[in-house]
Amino acid sequence: MNKQIEGFSRLNKNQKIEWLTKTYFKEQDLSKKILEQYWNTDESLQKLHDEFIENTISNFYLPFAIAPNFLINNEVYTIPMTIEESSVVAAAGKAAKFWKHRGGFKAQVISTEKIGQVHFMYEGDKEKLSRFFENVKPFLITAASSITQNMEKRGGGILDIELRDKTREIASYYQLHCTFETLDAMGANFINSCLEQFSKTFIEEAKSYSEFSETEKQLQVVMSILSNYVPNCIVKAEVSCPVEELNEDDGLSPKEFAQKFIRAVQIAEVEPHRAVTHNKGIMNGIDSVVLATGNDFRAVEAGIHAYAAKNGNYTSLTHASIENGIFKFWIELPLALGTVGGLTSLHPLVKLALELLGKPNAKELMQIVAVAGLAQNFAALRSLITTGIQKGHMKMHLMNIMNQLKATEEEKNYFLNYFKDKTVSHSEVVNVFNKLRAKA
Ligand code: MEV
């Protein structure tokens, strides 16, 4: 069967589904029903979602949950989280509760600079290029003024444009390395528009620069694009308390707990295999808040992992210490987030999530997201160094297994009770389930 199609994007939604189900699925009616089941009955809401991207045929649900009781900089927050993984929200809630009684989380934005680059090739005299750049720099900025004027009125805009010689890496390769302050916007559109304008002006001005030879005038822009690596857009979050306030945990004294906790962090600092999993747990918290608040989790992920490897080795984003009897645990990471623009004023759940957080500005959101990451890491390490994570994980996973088995509400209650004091495993749940059904 021919699985290709011309002009797919011009079909309407029903025609797209018709083609798709006919071409790819054995049970055409059933697959159509599944897709339609997720349509919103409110037509205007469905249209809004349809228009976020191209070729929309349905909606993809993820749970939208909340983790209350986060004390951050002396304010209480209920944090919205969008994630499919069992136990992440429960872990956040537990960490929030633990630290609420020990002074809460303290967070602070260190810097907010964003970056974009015009990558270009130039064959010629370097000195001449530097002189040309110094000449053209003010024009680059004024030529972008229609793009920057609103941002400037609010206190942001272009911070600087630098010429960078990259010819050691690739022959003839240079960059305009540009920095921006985008305030409450993530800034991707703003930055990319500025860069494309810089590129145009740069090429035009080069053509008429009298010092350049004919070859030099032909400098070639390869691409103009923001960088998702933002090592100068940094937020820090931390918790601390006297060691003895850490409580006894699963047989460990507070001091033993603190020492084992610090060991676990040290391992992630020096061992990349562990660091990746350690940071993955942090991203459970970060991504779920980033998603719930309509931000670009791919950009955040890419930037954070690059930052974790900035010294040449992939390492932990969190650190811990005991000094003068005080246990301290902190995170430092780059976060390019927005609370205006993009989905933030379009997606009803995103708007609700931001309202729940008290309509934060981008800096406040950076702090909240960093705290969600730190809390998640605290909860994971606490389990790992005491009971192990499977106990909590499998308890939460029990519901997924029961749903797979199509258990009734009554059966679910029976199982929750049955496994209260037993280890959950997939095979054991299926065993007990089969026995229960056989009896019935
Ligand atoms: C699971 O999603 C995340 C953990 O593996 C993180 C960690 O090991 O620190 C529990």
Side-chain angles (χ1 to χ4, degrees):
M1 184 173 206
N2 181 10
K3 293 194 170 175
Q4 294 184 59
I5 182 167
E6 290 285 327
F8 181 71
S9 62
R10 287 192 296 277
L11 300 182
N12 67 31
K13 196 199 273 184
N14 283 325
Q15 291 167 326
K16 283 177 183 158
I17 291 179
E18 197 63 33
W19 173 80
L20 179 82
T21 52
K22 232 194 242 158
T23 315
Y24 282 94
F25 299 107
K26 269 201 203 103
E27 296 191 61
Q28 211 180 318
D29 288 343
L30 181 66
S31 50
K32 190 168 174 228
K33 198 174 143 212
I34 292 171
L35 290 170
E36 287 176 358
Q37 234 170 20
Y38 286 90
W39 287 2
N40 202 293
T41 47
D42 177 337
E43 277 182 26
S44 65
L45 190 61
Q46 184 52 55
K47 192 163 179 296
L48 179 79
H49 285 273
D50 286 350
E51 289 173 358
F52 286 149
I53 58 168
E54 309 77 27
N55 295 343
T56 318
I57 51 172
S58 190
N59 305 306
F60 190 94
Y61 289 2
L62 280 177
F64 178 86
I66 52 163
N69 296 321
F70 270 91
L71 185 62
I72 307 175
N73 295 342
N74 300 323
E75 288 226 14
V76 177
Y77 290 87
T78 293
I79 299 188
M81 301 178 87
T82 294
I83 189 153
E84 87 301 344
E85 186 177 330
S86 335
S87 76
V88 167
V89 178
K94 270 191 205 153
K97 201 166 154 199
F98 184 94
W99 286 106
K100 190 176 74 161
H101 302 296
R102 291 163 179 82
F105 295 82
K106 300 279 177 269
Q108 134 188 52
V109 171
I110 310 290
S111 50
T112 56
E113 180 193 276
K114 312 274 171 61
I115 295 168
Q117 295 167 322
V118 177
H119 305 268
F120 69 97
M121 312 307 282
Y122 164 84
E123 281 171 36
D125 186 275
K126 285 187 185 180
E127 306 267 298
K128 269 200 246 172
L129 180 65
S130 293
R131 279 199 297 281
F132 167 66
F133 172 70
E134 287 311 324
N135 269 315
V136 82
K137 188 171 161 179
F139 292 116
L140 296 179
I141 294 170
T142 46
S145 62
S146 63
I147 305 163
T148 55
Q149 64 188 11
N150 279 340
M151 188 65 88
E152 276 169 9
K153 267 188 217 146
R154 288 183 270 131
I158 303 161
L159 297 178
D160 197 14
I161 308 176
E162 229 181 85
L163 173 68
R164 289 197 173 171
D165 181 346
K166 306 293 283 180
T167 52
R168 281 226 308 236
E169 284 93 338
I170 300 177
S172 313
Y173 169 37
Y174 296 84
Q175 289 172 354
L176 297 182
H177 183 91
C178 315
T179 46
F180 302 87
E181 170 55 64
T182 62
L183 305 169
D184 290 336
M186 188 262 192
N189 282 333
F190 172 76
I191 294 173
N192 288 333
S193 299
C194 285
L195 295 172
E196 288 188 6
Q197 183 57 53
F198 295 164
S199 158
K200 265 192 211 147
T201 314
F202 199 63
I203 293 172
E204 270 162 29
E205 294 294 322
K207 280 193 190 128
S208 57
Y209 188 60
S210 57
E211 277 197 46
F212 276 164
S213 68
E214 280 315 304
T215 326
E216 288 165 340
K217 283 181 181 173
Q218 300 310 314
L219 59 82
Q220 187 203 37
V221 169
V222 180
M223 59 190 160
S224 310
I225 186 73
L226 95 164
S227 172
N228 291 122
Y229 183 44
V230 282
N232 293 321
C233 187
I234 298 291
V235 56
K236 240 181 154 178
E238 69 169 60
V239 284
S240 65
C241 72
V243 170
E244 63 272 15
E245 282 181 19
L246 283 170
N247 277 359
E248 194 159 305
D249 207 323
D250 207 53
L252 293 178
S253 72
K255 193 167 166 215
E256 284 165 340
F257 176 87
Q259 285 168 341
K260 202 169 174 194
F261 192 97
I262 287 171
R263 274 274 171 263
V265 176
Q266 280 170 345
I267 291 171
E269 284 169 339
V270 301
E271 163 53 47
H273 284 91
R274 173 58 200 149
V276 171
T277 318
H278 178 96
N279 289 349
K280 186 276 181 189
I282 294 172
M283 299 315 292
N284 281 342
I286 299 219
D287 280 341
S288 53
V289 189
V290 168
L291 253 178
T293 56
N295 273 279
D296 183 341
F297 60 93
R298 288 85 58 209
V300 165
E301 283 272 353
I304 288 181
H305 294 300
Y307 189 74
K310 68 180 187 305
N311 296 328
N313 277 331
Y314 189 89
T315 181
S316 167
L317 294 161
T318 55
H319 308 281
S321 68
I322 305 176
E323 266 175 45
N324 302 324
I326 304 290
F327 170 80
K328 195 167 125 184
F329 178 47
W330 71 98
I331 189 165
E332 183 192 286
L333 77 172
L335 277 173
L337 300 177
T339 54
V340 298
L343 277 196
T344 57
S345 53
L346 279 178
H347 196 299
L349 271 176
V350 167
K351 284 201 272 183
L352 202 79
L354 288 168
E355 192 177 337
L356 173 64
L357 292 173
K359 300 201 171 141
N361 59 29
K363 282 187 178 173
E364 285 158 349
L365 187 59
M366 283 167 80
Q367 294 174 357
I368 294 164
V369 170
V371 164
L374 185 69
Q376 206 56 229
N377 192 220
F378 179 78
L381 293 180
R382 186 181 177 190
S383 297
L384 285 168
I385 62 166
T386 55
T387 54
I389 57 155
Q390 281 313 88
K391 195 173 162 203
H393 257 244
M394 290 311 287
K395 278 257 143 66
M396 296 301 295
H397 195 52
L398 180 59
M399 193 55 84
N400 288 344
I401 304 174
M402 289 189 302
N403 282 333
Q404 275 166 16
L405 294 170
K406 298 197 166 32
T408 63
E409 285 311 305
E410 210 177 313
E411 285 165 340
K412 283 181 189 172
N413 284 335
Y414 173 84
F415 272 85
L416 289 176
N417 200 32
Y418 179 89
F419 281 103
K420 236 184 199 150
D421 50 3
K422 293 180 192 66
T423 309
V424 179
S425 75
H426 193 278
S427 57
E428 185 57 11
V429 178
V430 175
N431 255 341
V432 179
F433 182 77
N434 286 341
K435 275 188 203 149
L436 190 73
R437 281 271 164 113
K439 234 196 239 167

